[in-house]
Amino acid sequence: MRVPLSWLREYVDLPATETGRDVQAKLVSAGLEVETVEHLGADLKGPLVVGQVLTIEELEGFKKPIRFCTVDVGQANGTGEPQEIVCGARNFSVGDKVVVVLPGATLPGGFSISARKTYGKTSHGMICSSDELGMGDDGTKGIIVLPPETEVGKDAIELLELVDEVLDIAVTANRGDCLSIRGVAREAAIAYGLPLSDPALLDVPGPNAYGYPVEVSDPLGCDRFTARTVTGLSPEARSPIWLQRRLQKVGMRPISLAVDVTNYVMMELGQPLHAYDRSLVQGTIGVRRATEGEQIETLDGVTRKLHAEDLVITDERGPIGLAGVMGGANTEIADHAEGEGTTDVVIEAAHFDAVAIARTARRHKLSSEASRRFERGVDPAAAAAAAQRTVDLLVLLAGGTAEAGVTEVVAPSAPHTISVPADHPDKVAGVSYGRETVVRRLQEVGCDVYGQDELIVTVPSWRPDLQEINDLAEEVIRLEGYENLPSTLPKPPAGRGLTQRQRLHRRVGRVLAGAGYVEAPNYPFVGEQVFDQLLLGADDPKRRVVKLTNPLSDEEPALRTSLLPGLFGALRRNDGRGSHDLALFETGLVFLPREEQRVAAVLPVDRRPTDDEIADLDAALPEQPRHVAVVLAGAREQAGWWGKGRPADWADAVEAARAVAREAGVELVVRGGQYGPWHPGRCAELLVGDTVVGHAGELHPRVVKAFGLPARTSAMELDLDVLEAAGDDTPQAPSISTFPVATQDVALVVDKFVPHAEVEAALRAGAGELLEGIRLFDVYENEEQLGDGKKSLAYALRFRAGDRTLTVDEASAARDAAVALAGERTGAVLRA
C-alpha cells in the first residue's frame, strides 16, 4: 500500500517538521512494515510552468515527425516573449495548455535543461510528458494537456504536486484495514497520540423504497449491498489534477472521471466500489452464485467460464460482474468523448465473503485491487459512507444529481465480542501493563471495553482479524512497543547429547565425505513416471506412494520411496555443467504408505496432547525409514604422474555400502542379485543376516539413458534404520596381538556362475576361529588352462592365535579345512 504523506496529513494533523522517515519509524514501531519512503521530486528544480501553445510548425525531412512550437509562458522566462521549443509529440494542438520546463531547470534523474540546437532549430526548453516528470502513467502516452482554465505561467511543480513523500507499506494478510489511507491514518494517529479526522464519518441518508432494485440471493456470500444512483453527469467531465495525482501516487492509472472517483474512494476508505452505466443495466441487480458453465466478459476483455462457487452480480440478462473481483464489459462506464459518454451511473458498495472472493480470484487467475481488499477483510459498516462519498464527488466534479433513492440490503448480524481477563496481555508479554493501559490501547484501535477484572470487548467493524483474546493481547503489546519487551534468554536444561540414531547418521556422513563423496540433499518429491524409468516391476512396493493434496509442482505430486531419483537429477545437472568426475551421497527419509490408511486427528492446542493422541497421530503418518544412497560417474582416481588413474565402477558402490555398514557395527553380506535400476550382471544384493537391506552396482543402460546420466554410472542404496537396529555401535578397541600372523594363499577353481561371496563364506566357516582375515586378490579366467566355464579365485588367508605362535602344521590344517568345506559347498578345487 502506497501512502502519500500529503494525503495522510489531511486526516492526521502531523507536526509540520515530521518527515516521511519520521512517520516510517513511528509506524514500524506500531507493527506496520514500511519498506521504503520514496521522495518524489527530490531532484526536481524549476522553472517548470504552465504554457499555452501559440503556433505549431511541422518540420519536414526527418525520419520521425518533428514540430517547432511557440509557447506563451507568461513572465516565467523573464521577457514575456513566446518560448520556442522543438517537440516530437503529437497529442496536443494550438491553444492547449501544457507543462513547459525552461532552461536552467533539472528534471528527475538529474537531467539538466538548457537551450540547444536540434533539427535545424534552437529549442529553449521542453514540453513535458508525465514520464519525464516522474509522475507515473497517466494513460496518454504523450504530452500532459492541462484543463483549459489553467492559468498560464503558473508554477507546475505546485500545480501537479510533484514534490511529496510516499510510504510503501507491506500490509500483512490480517491487516486489510491498512489497505486504505483511512486505516494507515488511524495507525498514525495512535502512534502520535493525535485525533483522527475519520473520512468515513459522513451524513448518510437511510434506505428507502425509491432506490435502485437489488435482490441478494446469497446472504452468506454478500451480507451488505448498498446502491446509489447519480444522473446528469457531464460526459466531457475529466478528473481534476489533484485527483489524478493522488491516484498516480498510490500506483493507479487515471482512466475516466467515474472510474477514477470509485478508485479514489476505495484507496481512501478501503471499500471497493463499482460504477455501472445505468443505461446498460437491465432490470434488477442481483447477487447469486454462478451457474456452472455460465460465461462473462470482464473489463479486461477476457471471456471467462464461471464456476458454480463464483459469486456474481447479475441483471435480467445474466452475469454483469464477478463480485468483488472485476466488473463486466456489458455495463462498462463509457470514457469521456466529444458529446458521448456515460451520464447516469449506479454505484455499488457491497461487502462480500472473503473466502469466496479469494477463491474466485485464484480460480480465474484475476487479482485486482478490489479482490486484494475483500480477501483481507473490508469494513462492512463503511459501505454506505463510501457510496455517499462517491456520490458527493460525482456531483461536485461532474455536475450530476444524486437521486433520493437509497438501496441497502443488510443481513442481520451481531457485533463480535470477546471476554478477556484484564491481566491477560501482562501474562502474554511478561510485562505489567495494568488495566488502564490495556483499556486505553484497546479503545484506541476502536474497541468498546466494559468491565473491571474481566473485560468485555466489542471489536470494531474494520478489524475482522481480532477474533480471540490473544489477538487483543497482541494489539496492546504492539502499541506499547515490541522494543519495550524485556529480553530474557531461556535457560535450557542440560542435554543428554546426541541420540544413537543421530550419532550414526553423522558417522555415515563423515565416512562417505572422507571417501571423497559430496553430500547433495534433494527435494523429497517425485512423479510416478520415475518408477518406469527405474525399471521397477508393476508389483514393486516402491510404486506405492504417498500423494500430496497441494503439491509444489503438479509434475511431482508424490513423496519419494527411494533416494536415487533425486541423486540422479543432481548428477545430471552437475555433469551438464562440466563436472564429469562425480561422487555424490545423500541420507534422508523415504515415505512408505501403511497398509491401513487412517485420517489424522486434529490435536488440541489448549493443552499438551495425551500419549494416546500422539500415538494415533503417528499411526496415521506414513512409515519414514532413513536411507543412504550414493551415485558415481567419471574417474574415481585421477590420472597423473603416479599412474593412469581408474574410472568409478560397481565395486566402488559396493565398498561404499561396506563402509556404511562398518560404521553401524554390522557385517554386510554381499552376493549377486538383480533388481530394478541395476545392471542384471553387475548388481550386488546387500544383506544383514537373511534380510535384504539394499543394492549396489552399475546401473542398467536403459536407466542411464532415461535419466540422462553418463555411461557406466554406478549407485548404491541402503536402509539405515535396519542397519542401526542390527548393529552395535559400542566402540571397540583394536585388538593387537604379540604373536605373529601366518599367511596362507589358496587358488580355487569354480564354475563361472558361482559367486565369490559363497566361496568366501565357505572358507570362513571351514577355517574356524584361527582365521583373522580373508581377502580376494585375484580372479583369473582361461579356457585352455582352467577349462570351459571355469574361473580361478585366489584368496589370502591370515591366521593368528591369541595365546601362542601358530605352527606351520596348524596353519596348514586350518587352510585345508577351509578348502575342504569350500569344495563341499561350492564344488571348488585347488588349482594345480
Side-chain angles (χ1 to χ4, degrees), residues 231-266:
T231 60
L233 300 178
S234 171
E236 297 182 353
R238 298 176 56 185
S239 300
I241 293 174
W242 64 266
L243 192 151
Q244 293 186 48
R245 287 296 296 135
R246 286 195 169 176
L247 289 178
Q248 288 174 328
K249 290 177 184 179
V250 298
M252 302 192 76
R253 178 172 63 88
I255 299 174
S256 64
L257 177 59
V259 175
D260 291 349
V261 167
T262 58
N263 285 337
Y264 177 85
V265 175
M266 175 180 67

Side-chain angles (χ1 to χ4, degrees), residues 701-718:
R702 287 166 56 189
V703 175
V704 169
K705 181 178 180 181
F707 285 94
L709 305 177
R712 309 300 292 270
T713 297
S714 299
M716 176 277 291
E717 184 167 13
L718 278 174

Side-chain angles (χ1 to χ4, degrees), residues 328-616:
N330 54 355
T331 56
E332 181 179 7
I333 296 291
D335 199 354
H336 59 269
E338 293 191 15
E340 298 179 0
T342 298
T343 58
D344 301 338
V345 298
V346 178
I347 304 300
E348 164 208 309
H351 184 262
F352 300 111
D353 177 61
V355 174
I357 302 306
R359 288 177 175 171
T360 296
R362 284 156 180 75
R363 190 179 297 119
H364 295 282
K365 296 180 175 59
L366 185 62
S367 179
S368 63
E369 292 288 346
S371 68
R372 286 183 61 221
R373 284 161 175 78
F374 280 122
E375 289 173 15
R376 290 160 174 79
V378 169
D379 181 5
Q388 182 63 47
R389 177 74 164 138
T390 305
V391 168
D392 291 344
L393 287 173
L394 288 175
V395 170
L396 175 67
L397 302 176
T401 301
E403 289 195 350
V406 177
T407 302
E408 192 164 342
V409 180
V410 180
S413 62
H416 181 52
T417 60
I418 303 172
S419 178
V420 55
D423 62 348
H424 182 69
D426 300 4
K427 294 178 179 179
V428 173
V431 176
S432 180
Y433 292 123
R435 179 187 177 281
E436 290 73 16
T437 298
V438 171
V439 171
R440 174 172 57 84
R441 288 303 191 184
L442 293 178
Q443 288 175 338
E444 286 177 344
V445 299
C447 297
D448 291 330
V449 185
Y450 302 95
Q452 292 298 318
D453 295 336
E454 190 74 16
L455 303 178
I456 305 300
V457 180
T458 302
V459 174
S461 59
W462 57 82
R463 290 299 302 275
D465 59 304
L466 302 181
Q467 293 293 320
E468 48 102 14
I469 60 175
N470 288 324
D471 297 330
L472 300 179
E474 182 181 3
E475 290 300 295
V476 175
I477 294 168
R478 75 175 181 87
L479 294 178
E480 283 296 304
Y482 291 120
E483 68 277 9
N484 295 323
L485 293 177
S487 178
T488 305
L489 293 177
K491 297 179 180 179
R496 300 177 181 178
L498 299 177
T499 64
Q500 177 181 344
R501 179 184 176 92
Q502 291 170 327
R503 289 196 298 269
L504 174 60
H505 297 165
R506 293 196 179 189
R507 289 202 307 272
V508 168
R510 283 195 294 266
V511 74
L512 290 176
Y517 291 85
V518 176
E519 187 171 14
N522 296 284
Y523 285 118
F525 312 117
V526 295
E528 292 185 80
Q529 76 283 352
V530 77
F531 302 120
D532 295 329
Q533 297 173 322
L534 289 173
L535 305 182
L536 299 183
D539 58 346
D540 194 294
K542 289 187 177 180
R543 283 185 175 270
R544 294 185 64 241
V545 295
V546 177
K547 292 187 177 180
L548 301 174
T549 303
N550 188 22
L552 292 178
S553 169
D554 292 336
E555 296 179 357
E556 295 180 331
L559 292 173
R560 66 189 178 190
T561 56
S562 169
L563 302 182
L564 292 180
L567 281 175
F568 290 167
L571 183 75
R572 182 182 61 250
R573 287 190 297 272
N574 283 278
D575 182 70
R577 294 168 183 169
S579 298
H580 303 303
D581 303 325
L582 295 162
L584 308 178
F585 84 94
E586 179 180 8
T587 62
L589 301 179
V590 298
F591 305 86
L592 309 176
R594 299 181 186 271
E595 293 296 332
E596 180 186 358
Q597 298 293 326
R598 301 176 60 179
V599 177
V602 178
L603 296 181
V605 296
D606 58 342
R607 59 175 174 81
R608 183 191 183 279
T610 65
D611 293 340
D612 290 340
E613 288 172 333
I614 295 175
D616 289 341

Side-chain angles (χ1 to χ4, degrees), residues 654-671:
V654 174
E655 180 55 32
R658 284 196 168 110
V660 171
R662 283 194 294 269
E663 292 300 319
V666 174
E667 184 68 29
L668 203 62
V669 177
V670 180
R671 70 184 183 193

